[in-house]
């Protein structure tokens, strides 16, 4: 830990100016503004170059005017906030000085109630670097300054004391080399590999194992060539899915920060900067597209359709009642169809029908859990969703019915002529029906009890009973072969 210089006795008479982006908040408000703008009105992105040509201040003002941030949901640096509250209690005059647009700065100041003055970009002047320094000297004379970036070094050079917040090591060295008293250093938290894994939602890759289903259903998993193609299909889907997850998290920052568990996601909690996510999403997509070069063109076309559909879901479709769960169920089924195209094995219409109804049921489980939380918190609607607390019973009946229909499709398949192509003892497959009825029914009972608070497939991966059910189903299939 870097030693800190104590404040002098007359410190309360010297104002403390505080930067916003990366200092008071653990994010860049302009980046978040741009994401909100893209989500609300993607076509306005075409105007961004024109706004930039008129200067940074004008650019920030136009973006902030069309995409206001909720100051109460910003990820504040709680350690710094505690320090500022202590300084204010000692009689210190606090000033918010930022290059962010004044709309954002004023909203933050109003929300926190800590600052006596606010200096920010106003649409004409971009208050950064030398301009910010001139403004503070004219307004305050002598001041202390809290910042985090290389652009803050000139302000530290002219300030009386220095407060360094979450600065890179190189910037911290510059601050100590200025000959100014470094009063306090707030160390930048280290990013662990677990954060990256969480951002990519690697645990969700289990869903992409559905690409192996056509190969297994056709009893051709022993073919090394086909198995390799299925693995490549799995990798391509996983990379594209992670790209979508990152993009979805970036576009859902406000909604996630309101959620009891999603608020801990890396981008919502700013354990990873949103700028990193903006780079990650296209890189993951390009990597997935590169894998597609090793697979049939039809698979690549399907994967592009999958990505477009998931993007549409993130931007709009998830806000439309019932259409959202139909899209989710369709995305699961697309994975199965993708596996068929990757290995060149036809997919049975029975399998597609079964998966559609089963995954519709599971998608409704997910929505039921969200609506249940609304009821428990006495809220009427979910932010960013189209469902109301009063929809609970209807969702429950629709979801349970869809699950039962999936078992009915399975039963009809067992009675069809197609089943004799793959099984010598198809009558033994009837045992699958009670097994599936038990599993689907149990999932819905647990959902009603509030014990399924995540994606049902992810829940199943952590559920011992689901593994036991899977083992029994595998034994039945083996016995019927």
């Amino acid at each position: 830990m870097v030693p800190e210089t104590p404040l002098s006795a007359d410190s309360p008479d010297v104002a403390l100016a505080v930067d916003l982006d990366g200092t008071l908040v653990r994010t860049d408000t302009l980046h978040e503004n741009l994401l909100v703008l893209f989500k609300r009105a993607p076509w306005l992105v075409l105007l961004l170059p024109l706004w930039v040509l008129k200067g940074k201040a004008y650019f920030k003002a136009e973006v902030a005017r069309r995409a206001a941030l909720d100051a109460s949901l910003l990820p504040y640096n709680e350690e710094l906030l505690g320090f500022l509250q202590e300084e204010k209690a000692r009689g210190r005059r606090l000033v918010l000085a930022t290059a962010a647009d004044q709309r954002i700065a004023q909203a933050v100041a109003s929300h926190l109630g800590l600052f006596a003055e606010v200096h920010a970009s106003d649409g004409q002047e971009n208050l950064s670097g030398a301009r910010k320094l001139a403004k503070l000297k004219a307004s305050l004379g002598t001041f202390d300054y809290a910042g985090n970036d290389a652009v803050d070094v000139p302000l530290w050079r002219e300030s009386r004391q220095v407060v360094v917040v979450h600065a890179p090591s190189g910037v911290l060295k510059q601050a100590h080399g200025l000959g100014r008293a470094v009063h306090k250093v707030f160390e930048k938290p280290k990013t662990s590999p677990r954060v990256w894994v969480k951002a990519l939602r690697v645990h969700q890759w289990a869903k992409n194992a559905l690409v192996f289903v056509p190969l297994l259903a056709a009893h051709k998993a022993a073919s090394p060539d086909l198995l390799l193609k299925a693995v490549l299909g799995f990798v391509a889907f996983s990379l594209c899915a992670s790209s979508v997850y990152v993009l979805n998290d970036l576009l859902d920052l406000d909604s996630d920060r309101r959620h009891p568990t999603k608020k801990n996601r890396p981008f919502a909690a700013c354990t990873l900067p949103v700028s990193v996510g903006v780079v990650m999403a296209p890189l993951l997509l390009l990597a997935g597209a590169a894998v597609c070069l090793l697979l049939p063109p039809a698979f690549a076309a399907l994967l592009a359709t999958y990505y477009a559909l998931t993007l549409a879901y993130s931007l709009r479709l998830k806000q439309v009642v019932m259409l959202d769960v139909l899209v989710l169920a369709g995305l699961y089924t697309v994975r199965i169809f993708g596996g068929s195209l990757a290995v060149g094995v036809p997919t049975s219409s029975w399998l597609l029908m079964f998966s559609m109804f089963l995954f519709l049921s599971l998608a409704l489980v997910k929505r039921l859990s969200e609506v249940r939380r609304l009821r428990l918190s006495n809220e009427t609607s979910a932010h960013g969703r189209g469902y109301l607390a009063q929809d609970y019973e209807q969702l429950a009946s629709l979801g349970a019915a869809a699950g039962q229909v999936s078992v009915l499709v399975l039963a009809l398949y067992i009675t069809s002529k197609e089943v004799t192509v793959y099984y010598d003892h198809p009558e033994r497959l009837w045992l699958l029906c009670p097994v599936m009825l038990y599993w689907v029914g149990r999932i819905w009972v647990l959902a009603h009890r509030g014990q399924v608070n995540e994606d049902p497939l992810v829940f199943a991966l952590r559920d011992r009973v689901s593994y036991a059910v899977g083992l029994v189903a595998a034994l039945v299939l083996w016995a019927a072969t």
Side-chain angles (χ1 to χ4, degrees):
M1 182 71 181
V2 181
E4 299 171 358
T5 303
L7 287 169
S8 58
D10 61 344
S11 292
D13 296 332
V14 178
L16 172 60
V18 183
D19 184 35
L20 178 63
D21 294 330
T23 303
L24 183 60
V25 295
R26 292 178 288 111
T27 188
D28 188 307
T29 55
L30 177 60
H31 294 165
E32 296 209 10
N33 263 142
L34 287 169
L35 290 171
V36 173
L37 180 69
F38 177 73
K39 183 177 181 178
R40 292 180 182 175
W43 55 89
L44 288 179
V45 173
L46 299 175
L47 297 178
L48 295 183
L50 299 178
W51 296 344
V52 171
L53 290 176
K54 294 184 178 182
K56 288 184 178 180
Y58 182 85
F59 173 75
K60 293 176 181 179
E62 289 300 303
V63 174
R65 183 167 66 86
R66 291 170 171 81
L69 297 176
D70 187 338
S72 67
L73 296 175
L74 288 174
Y76 292 96
N77 186 326
E78 297 297 336
E79 189 181 4
L80 177 62
L81 269 183
F83 168 72
L84 295 178
Q85 289 165 351
E86 291 175 0
E87 291 299 293
K88 184 176 177 63
R90 294 176 62 244
R92 177 79 87 110
R93 186 184 185 190
L94 302 179
V95 176
L96 183 61
T98 174
D101 185 73
Q102 59 185 354
R103 293 176 180 82
I104 300 171
Q106 290 291 350
V108 168
S110 298
H111 171 67
L112 296 177
L114 290 174
F115 299 101
E117 293 181 27
V118 176
H119 300 295
S121 299
D122 58 5
Q124 297 181 348
E125 181 181 49
N126 185 49
L127 200 68
S128 178
R131 292 189 183 92
K132 185 190 290 189
L133 176 59
K135 176 72 75 173
L136 291 179
K137 291 179 72 173
S139 175
L140 305 175
T142 303
F143 62 92
D144 295 341
Y145 185 75
N148 72 296
D149 203 280
V151 73
D152 296 316
V153 172
L155 287 100
W156 283 327
R157 185 177 290 112
E158 297 295 327
S159 66
R160 189 196 59 151
Q161 288 185 323
V162 173
V163 177
V164 183
V165 184
H166 291 186
S169 57
V171 174
L172 182 58
K173 288 180 181 179
Q174 290 185 65
H176 280 286
L178 293 174
R180 289 293 197 237
V182 176
H183 163 57
K184 196 170 184 66
V185 175
F186 295 89
E187 298 285 354
K188 186 176 183 179
K190 294 182 179 180
T191 302
S192 68
R194 180 179 295 182
V195 173
W196 290 92
V197 171
K198 192 174 180 180
L200 295 174
R201 295 200 216 174
V202 172
H203 65 284
Q204 296 280 9
W205 289 3
K207 299 176 184 178
N208 300 319
L210 291 170
V211 301
F212 294 99
V213 170
L215 193 63
L216 295 171
H219 296 201
K220 294 184 178 180
S223 170
D225 291 341
L226 295 182
L227 185 59
L228 176 59
K229 290 181 179 180
V231 170
L232 290 173
F234 171 83
V235 172
F237 263 105
S238 296
L239 291 170
C240 286
S242 286
S243 173
V244 173
Y245 292 142
V246 169
L247 183 58
N248 182 73
D249 287 353
L250 293 175
L251 298 178
D252 268 1
L253 291 174
D254 277 8
S255 298
D256 286 353
R257 287 167 182 165
R258 287 185 172 94
H259 195 277
T261 56
K262 293 180 181 179
K263 65 181 180 181
N264 297 319
R265 287 177 173 174
F267 298 112
C270 279
T271 48
L272 278 181
V274 295
S275 57
V276 170
V278 171
V279 175
M280 282 175 63
L283 287 180
L284 288 166
L285 177 60
L286 289 173
V291 175
C292 286
L293 297 176
L294 303 174
L295 294 168
F299 175 85
L302 182 75
L303 191 61
T305 302
Y306 165 84
Y307 195 89
L309 190 58
T310 51
L311 182 59
Y313 175 82
S314 296
L315 291 174
R316 174 59 182 151
L317 298 184
K318 66 182 177 183
Q319 301 172 23
V320 183
V321 173
M322 286 308 299
L323 182 58
D324 63 329
V325 289
L326 288 171
V327 170
L328 284 178
L331 290 174
Y332 283 117
T333 306
V334 163
R335 290 174 167 95
I336 295 176
F337 194 50
S340 174
L341 293 177
V343 300
V345 174
T347 302
S348 167
S349 58
W350 291 107
L351 177 60
L352 294 178
M353 283 192 292
F354 170 77
S355 64
M356 189 67 197
F357 283 109
L358 178 62
F359 294 130
L360 175 60
S361 179
L362 297 181
L364 285 164
V365 165
K366 189 174 182 180
R367 290 294 173 263
L368 184 87
S369 299
E370 294 172 354
V371 171
R372 186 178 183 276
R373 278 195 295 268
L374 290 179
R375 282 191 162 189
L376 293 176
S377 58
N378 294 319
E379 298 179 51
T380 57
S381 62
H383 186 268
R385 303 289 184 185
Y387 295 95
L388 305 176
Q390 65 195 50
D391 296 330
Y392 185 87
E393 288 78 11
Q394 186 65 29
L395 290 173
S397 61
L398 289 170
Q404 302 305 310
V405 171
S406 70
V407 181
L408 175 61
V409 172
L410 175 61
L412 292 173
Y413 167 68
I414 294 172
T415 61
S416 70
K417 294 181 180 180
E418 293 180 30
V419 74
T420 59
V421 176
Y422 301 110
Y423 299 95
D424 295 331
H425 305 284
E427 68 280 357
R428 298 176 183 177
L429 293 175
W430 281 107
L431 292 173
L432 289 176
C433 291
V435 170
M436 284 301 302
L437 285 170
Y438 167 73
W439 187 77
V440 171
R442 179 175 176 272
I443 286 288
W444 274 97
V445 169
L446 294 179
H448 275 283
R449 293 177 180 176
Q451 296 177 17
V452 184
N453 294 315
E454 56 193 333
D455 189 297
L457 284 185
V458 176
F459 168 81
L461 290 173
R462 301 171 181 171
D463 179 42
R464 293 182 180 179
V465 174
S466 294
Y467 279 104
V469 168
L471 178 60
V472 171
L475 291 174
V476 170
L477 291 170
W478 174 78
T481 304

